[in-house]
Amino acid sequence: MKSGIYKIANKINGHCYVGSAVNIERRWRGHTSGLNGNRHENGHLQRAWNKYGADAFEFEIIELCFVFALIFREQYWMDELKPEYNIARVAGSSLGVKRTDETRAKNGAANKGRILSAETRAK
């Protein structure tokens, strides 16, 4: 099991996505499964995958590191490479991610009527 920082690069236009994972091989399988199934969580990357095809992309491990350093090193590489396919500009955060009205409605419906424990409400 390798932990570290990886890049998904579009060989045609040079755009890329940078991510980090505790288990890079498992994360890559998750990306390819989502992208090939047209259900990847990153719509921007999904549209590029659909447009250019799987053969236009390459997966590269750019740095192996300890788990405790993943977010710090991911941010370094995001600052260095300025990946066009990343939605959030801050590693490990959803800061800057724009959600559609449909997504907000789905999240609201999923949480409506949810009963929180007294401990959770206290937090």
Side-chain angles (χ1 to χ4, degrees), residues 22-83:
V22 172
N23 183 327
I24 294 175
E25 289 85 6
R26 182 174 47 204
R27 184 65 183 121
W28 175 235
R29 285 192 306 272
H31 276 299
T32 54
S33 174
L35 290 164
N36 288 330
N38 198 31
R39 54 180 161 60
H40 195 273
E41 62 271 7
N42 182 319
H44 192 48
L45 182 58
Q46 182 69 64
R47 285 187 297 278
W49 186 273
N50 294 347
K51 179 179 179 178
Y52 296 105
D55 291 338
F57 290 84
E58 65 183 358
F59 182 82
E60 176 186 354
I61 296 172
I62 54 179
E63 179 179 350
L64 295 176
C65 63
F66 292 110
V67 173
F68 67 83
L70 284 173
I71 300 300
F72 173 75
R73 297 307 298 162
E74 180 182 4
Q75 188 63 54
Y76 168 82
W77 285 106
M78 288 175 71
D79 293 343
E80 186 73 18
L81 299 174
K82 299 180 181 19

Side-chain angles (χ1 to χ4, degrees), residues 103-121:
T103 299
R104 286 196 298 266
K106 282 182 184 177
N107 288 343
N111 291 324
K112 192 171 189 168
R114 197 171 102 190
I115 299 171
L116 303 176
S117 68
E119 179 184 347
T120 301
R121 275 187 258 124

